[in-house]
């Protein structure tokens, strides 16, 4: 198990578009487990592969209190949406900042599991918002993109400063190939 390095906004690598996963092998399982370990270590509830510089359509989520209900979504797609709500979000790639974003309260999504089998599910509230937030990452989009340019630039400046001071956690891990 390996804890991966999480990229921080405004790193342009976070703008990479992820590609469909087509090979469901042992390496994919290892990556999913490393992403879960990385998310738990960082006390997050969701992490997308793009955030650890891997451009594959893979996300991991765990919104459970006990941190024991991992959800692995490969090639996730939102099929239906319902009413919009405002939801306060954070992001492991935007540490220390939380802002309200417009999201759908209820969704139905489709994804594949680690064996490549398709499944569909409904989600509501926090889980629904988390799936939307993580799918955005796979398209190079961040929650700060929904804020004003002024807010976004202020956040970018503050994070860049913290990073230059070595005040954010970084891990120079072995680059993955998948
Ligand atoms: C996305 O975000 C999300 O600033 C997942 O210092 C967040 O796991 C979806 C985190 C909220 C819906 C609602 C952020 C941890 C974790 C921080 C996260 C921080 C430490 C964010
Ligand atoms: Co995020």
């Amino acid at each position: 198990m390996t804890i991966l390095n999480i990229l921080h906004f405004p790193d342009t690598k976070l703008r990479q578009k992820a590609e469909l996963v087509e090979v469901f092998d042992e390496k994919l399982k290892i990556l999913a487990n490393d992403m879960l370990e990385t998310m738990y270590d960082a006390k997050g509830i969701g992490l997308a592969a793009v955030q650890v510089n891997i451009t594959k359509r893979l996300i991991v989520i765990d919104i459970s209190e006990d941190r024991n209900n991992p959800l692995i979504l490969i090639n996730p797609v939102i099929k239906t949406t319902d009413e919009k709500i405002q939801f306060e979000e954070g992001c492991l790639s935007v540490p220390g900042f939380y802002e309200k974003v417009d999201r759908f309260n209820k969704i139905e999504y489709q994804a594949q599991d680690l064996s490549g089998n398709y499944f569909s599910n409904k989600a509501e509230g926090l889980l629904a918002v988390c799936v939307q937030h993580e799918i955005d990452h796979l398209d190079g989009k961040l929650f700060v993109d929904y804020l004003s340019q002024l807010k976004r630039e202020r956040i970018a400046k503050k994070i860049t400063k913290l990073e230059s001071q070595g005040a954010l956690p970084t891990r120079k891990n072995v680059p993955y190939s998948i």
Side-chain angles (χ1 to χ4, degrees):
M1 300 278 273
T2 311
I3 293 173
L4 306 167
N5 190 50
I6 299 175
L7 302 172
H8 295 131
F9 174 70
D11 194 324
T12 55
K13 290 194 182 82
L14 287 165
R15 301 311 187 174
Q16 300 174 104
K17 307 254 184 297
E19 291 164 11
L20 286 176
V21 173
E22 281 170 323
V23 182
F24 295 81
D25 59 2
E26 190 61 29
K27 272 168 72 174
L28 186 69
K29 293 194 176 101
I30 292 170
L31 172 59
N33 279 318
D34 287 348
M35 283 174 56
L36 279 168
E37 194 188 11
T38 304
M39 178 185 75
Y40 289 133
D41 176 72
K43 308 200 184 317
I45 57 169
L47 183 71
V50 172
Q51 290 178 275
V52 292
N53 201 21
I54 291 168
T55 52
K56 293 281 173 189
R57 302 192 78 84
L58 162 63
I59 67 183
V60 297
I61 291 175
D62 191 339
I63 61 160
S64 72
E65 203 84 23
D66 297 336
R67 324 293 287 138
N68 60 359
N69 194 15
L71 184 59
I72 296 168
L73 303 184
I74 301 166
N75 301 330
V77 184
I78 292 171
K79 290 291 186 182
T80 67
T81 59
D82 207 318
E83 81 264 18
K84 282 206 164 175
I85 47 157
Q86 281 221 334
F87 207 98
E88 184 157 270
E89 293 183 20
C91 179
L92 288 171
S93 294
V94 191
F97 296 88
Y98 305 85
E99 295 283 348
K100 280 192 176 149
V101 174
D102 276 340
R103 296 287 189 185
F104 297 105
N105 186 35
K106 294 181 185 175
I107 61 166
E108 291 181 324
Y109 65 89
Q110 182 200 72
Q112 283 166 276
D113 65 18
L114 283 170
S115 307
N117 297 317
Y118 287 88
F119 65 97
S120 294
N121 231 327
K122 292 181 184 181
E124 187 177 340
L126 177 61
L127 180 59
V129 172
C130 204
V131 171
Q132 291 166 76
H133 175 114
E134 301 309 332
I135 291 178
D136 268 357
H137 276 299
L138 302 181
D139 297 319
K141 200 166 170 77
L142 300 171
F143 85 90
V144 294
D145 298 347
Y146 298 100
L147 310 178
S148 69
Q149 188 183 327
L150 181 64
K151 271 194 183 177
R152 191 165 48 252
E153 282 171 355
R154 280 185 180 151
I155 293 172
K157 210 172 155 188
K158 286 181 188 165
I159 293 180
T160 303
K161 187 170 176 196
L162 286 171
E163 196 113 63
S164 73
Q165 293 169 335
L168 295 179
T170 49
R171 227 169 284 257
K172 292 285 159 266
N173 53 284
V174 195
Y176 243 100
S177 65
I178 188 155

